[in-house]
Amino acid sequence: MSDNVVPIKRASNDAPPTLTPILSLTATPMNAVNAIILDRMQSEIPLIPALAGHLIAGGGKRMRPMLTLAGAEVVGYQGTRHHKLAAAVEFIHTATLLHDDVVDGSEMRRGKSAANIVYGNPATVLVGDFLFSRAFELMVEDGSLKVLKILSGASAIIAQGEVDQLTAQRKIETSEERYLDIIGAKTAALFAAASRISAVVAEKDEAEELALDAYGRNLGIAFQLVDDAIDYDSDAAEMGKDRGDDFREGKMTLPVILAYARGNEEERRFWQDAIAGFANEDADLAHAVELIRKHDCVTATRDRARHYAQRACDALSIFPDSAARRAMVEAAQFAVARGY
Amino acid sequence: MSDNVVPIKRASNDAPPTLTPILSLTATPMNAVNAIILDRMQSEIPLIPALAGHLIAGGGKRMRPMLTLAGAEVVGYQGTRHHKLAAAVEFIHTATLLHDDVVDGSEMRRGKSAANIVYGNPATVLVGDFLFSRAFELMVEDGSLKVLKILSGASAIIAQGEVDQLTAQRKIETSEERYLDIIGAKTAALFAAASRISAVVAEKDEAEELALDAYGRNLGIAFQLVDDAIDYDSDAAEMGKDRGDDFREGKMTLPVILAYARGNEEERRFWQDAIAGFANEDADLAHAVELIRKHDCVTATRDRARHYAQRACDALSIFPDSAARRAMVEAAQFAVARGY
């Protein structure tokens, strides 16, 4: 039934894809998930809900728990066990965001001051640890060892991906292959696990588990690629995070990897200096954006993203056509199109 | 059979208590635990075993896994499931040490440069996350939801205790009661859980579980109290950590709480300034040590520790006399006597 899957390229007169269908699909259960999140981030220690709430209440797309909820719809799961697990997924994600902001020395997150700026690094590290522990408590309450295995495995892979990214930072020789390994670990592993666990609680067969895993993993890669493209896309709308952060931190993302590969000798010398941290003024960022545009590297990065988004959609072909499947397909299309 | 338990006060002509009996008791299984630790801290990302190994291979008493192993002996467990769980306990502990060193800006740990000094804060935070995830993977492999519940609960309590300690830092009004809450969470919860899980894998009844929990919890409090006393004890042998660290960080530990409570107006003004961070030169530390000696606060802290160590020993009275029980009693005696 793969011909049921809406192709990723739509006729140019179509309305642009949005998250509206998947948001509608998951709105009711997301209220239940949000209630669990708010309840389980509480603690007798007032600093914990204050700091966690700064990030959690501060918006965010709840993309990962949304995948758990959408996955449950597409497999026809009728229960509510996945609510607690979706909250656990969001806690794991929030913990990694808090630690990322400390690691990167971020100043902004989701359009406001990052938690580390408001509450300091020490509290931010420790509240991340608390949320991570709470995530495991929620999973243990659910009681599925299979879910625990998937999510503890994903957590270890995320941490390895983060360390790997740190190792690659300011290393101009980082290849596209290594970059894909890194984002596969630090971003896509949790997208994959979040999607997959709904097939587990629904007691579906392994093929459905693996289909949801593939959907989440490819969607995660597409999302990260487009995030990384937008950081260098002068045409894109302003994001919640500071523009040019990746450049100033010397992060080797795909637009830079491609611009370096496609550049001439003089351009390569610029990239070597910039990524090493010797050319990171505003004028250098402007020059970087210009070189990336010259070599079509934002477009190339979006093309790579389209490839993964298409794989995400095709992975859904084992499920019959449904509003849930159509919403998930459109979410993948949105992942590629956003920021245009 | 409580009269079988060796009393905590021994005749003064006895040899001082040591960890030798508990080290001998657990030496063989500890080799298996160490092999698991070394195996499971590996990763394709070379920075991970390098950083983790800096701390893990750098010594440490392996006190918490030792409690799991000793607990297994005292309940007569014959299997090997507790080896993996003891490794998980040590990983949780190592993760919290790495994050503590970032939080406190520590320079020394176990007699050498702390990991954050050698490898930087970012990698130290992330490798802590990795070890924490690995701990959960080990527990999931074992497959006991009861053990997972005990250790995920303990992890959340540890994180809360760490945040609470941060909140109390530089707050001269911190009471002995609040201090006991903090060390009960940040230190004793993992001691309790480490001991308790051996009764769980041995499928003993709840009374034995609770006895081991009480042994570990009280031992943990005694250990922390003596650690905190030693930081101000001019007679004590040099520890692995920097002397006077607690003072410079404005940590409200029991020796300070008691010296403040027992001090006159002038002394209290000194403590207010010192804990607020306005008097933390070497001369101030010397004055603090003098005031703590004047009011017998190291002795008083050790007396409090003796109380908890005695409770730890008495909790073991439900087990018949054995070499294991005697070794655990002597470990509690050692906890109080060390550093004299």
Side-chain angles (χ1 to χ4, degrees), chain A residues 16-82:
Chain A
T18 68
L19 286 180
T20 306
I22 202 168
L23 285 166
S24 305
L25 180 78
T26 57
T28 305
M30 190 63 88
N31 286 336
V33 173
N34 278 326
I36 296 167
I37 287 173
L38 287 174
D39 179 49
R40 302 307 288 272
M41 70 185 218
Q42 297 309 314
S43 157
E44 299 148 14
I45 317 301
L47 180 55
I48 291 177
L51 195 154
H54 177 82
L55 182 56
I56 290 175
K61 296 179 292 295
R62 301 269 198 278
M63 199 66 210
R64 293 154 190 82
M66 192 189 289
L67 291 179
T68 308
L69 299 178
E73 295 293 329
V74 88
V75 300
Y77 175 62
Q78 298 294 324
T80 56
R81 278 177 55 199
H82 61 316

Side-chain angles (χ1 to χ4, degrees), chain A residues 43 45 48 99 103 122-123 126 129-130 132-133 136-137 140 143 145 148-149 152-153 155-156 159-160 162-164 166, chain B residues 43 45 48 99 103 122-123 126 129-130 132-133 136-137 140 143 145 148-149 152-153 155-156 159-160 162-164 166:
Chain A
S43 157
I45 317 301
I48 291 177
H99 288 182
V103 163
L126 296 175
D129 290 350
F130 171 78
F132 199 62
S133 302
F136 277 90
E137 287 192 299
V140 170
L145 279 167
L148 272 157
K149 182 169 190 213
S152 62
S155 298
Q160 290 188 77
E162 300 272 5
V163 176
D164 200 15
L166 198 64
Chain B
S43 159
I45 318 299
I48 291 177
H99 288 182
V103 164
L126 297 175
D129 290 350
F130 171 79
F132 199 63
S133 301
F136 276 90
E137 287 192 299
V140 169
L145 279 168
L148 274 157
K149 182 169 190 216
S152 62
S155 298
Q160 291 188 75
E162 301 271 5
V163 176
D164 200 16
L166 199 65

Side-chain angles (χ1 to χ4, degrees), chain A residues 14-319:
Chain A
D14 277 0
T18 68
L19 286 180
T20 306
I22 202 168
L23 285 166
S24 305
L25 180 78
T26 57
T28 305
M30 190 63 88
N31 286 336
V33 173
N34 278 326
I36 296 167
I37 287 173
L38 287 174
D39 179 49
R40 302 307 288 272
M41 70 185 218
Q42 297 309 314
S43 157
E44 299 148 14
I45 317 301
L47 180 55
I48 291 177
L51 195 154
H54 177 82
L55 182 56
I56 290 175
K61 296 179 292 295
R62 301 269 198 278
M63 199 66 210
R64 293 154 190 82
M66 192 189 289
L67 291 179
T68 308
L69 299 178
E73 295 293 329
V74 88
V75 300
Y77 175 62
Q78 298 294 324
T80 56
R81 278 177 55 199
H82 61 316
H83 296 171
K84 222 177 232 184
L85 296 175
V89 164
E90 186 67 5
F91 278 167
I92 292 174
H93 175 56
T94 308
T96 65
L97 287 187
L98 290 174
H99 288 182
D100 275 358
D101 283 342
V102 169
V103 163
D104 294 339
S106 308
E107 295 186 357
M108 298 291 286
R109 167 73 69 183
R110 294 177 178 168
K112 56 184 196 175
S113 292
N116 48 308
I117 300 297
V118 181
Y119 297 95
N121 283 342
T124 305
V125 169
L126 296 175
V127 173
D129 290 350
F130 171 78
L131 292 175
F132 199 62
S133 302
R134 262 294 140 84
F136 277 90
E137 287 192 299
L138 283 163
M139 289 181 244
V140 170
E141 283 172 29
D142 174 68
S144 162
L145 279 167
K146 195 164 177 187
V147 168
L148 272 157
K149 182 169 190 213
I150 291 167
L151 282 169
S152 62
S155 298
I157 287 168
I158 293 166
Q160 290 188 77
E162 300 272 5
V163 176
D164 200 15
Q165 173 172 265
L166 198 64
T167 315
Q169 209 166 353
R170 303 213 175 282
K171 297 249 165 47
I172 192 67
E173 67 274 18
T174 306
S175 66
E176 176 167 356
E177 306 310 313
R178 176 141 184 228
Y179 165 80
L180 286 170
D181 283 347
I182 291 172
I183 69 173
K186 75 162 189 155
T187 306
L190 190 55
F191 273 70
S195 307
R196 179 176 196 157
I197 56 176
S198 22
V200 176
V201 295
E203 297 178 356
K204 296 294 173 184
D205 63 25
E206 203 187 4
E208 298 193 33
E209 263 186 53
L210 293 178
L212 284 176
D213 186 287
Y215 171 77
R217 187 174 310 279
N218 285 298
L219 180 67
I221 294 173
F223 250 98
Q224 187 64 58
L225 282 164
V226 174
D227 263 0
D228 292 346
I230 287 173
D231 207 53
Y232 287 98
D233 186 355
S234 52
D235 299 331
E238 187 67 35
M239 301 298 289
K241 77 171 183 171
D242 273 356
R243 286 293 298 284
D245 269 359
D246 290 347
F247 180 74
R248 279 180 287 266
E249 290 163 15
K251 279 201 181 142
M252 287 301 291
T253 61
L254 192 57
V256 173
I257 292 168
L258 294 176
Y260 184 71
R262 297 174 179 187
N264 61 32
E265 282 306 302
E266 188 194 335
E267 291 167 9
R268 289 189 177 191
R269 275 194 297 277
F270 164 77
W271 285 114
Q272 286 158 5
D273 287 350
I275 291 302
F278 304 123
N280 53 14
E281 303 296 316
D282 286 353
D284 300 313
L285 175 59
H287 186 53
V289 168
E290 188 190 310
L291 293 179
I292 283 170
R293 194 198 315 241
K294 172 182 169 190
H295 294 292
D296 278 331
C297 302
V298 163
T299 306
T301 300
R302 284 189 183 274
D303 285 343
R304 303 287 208 279
R306 184 169 294 106
H307 159 88
Y308 290 101
Q310 185 63 60
R311 281 168 62 173
C313 294
D314 285 326
L316 297 178
S317 63
I318 72 161
F319 301 109

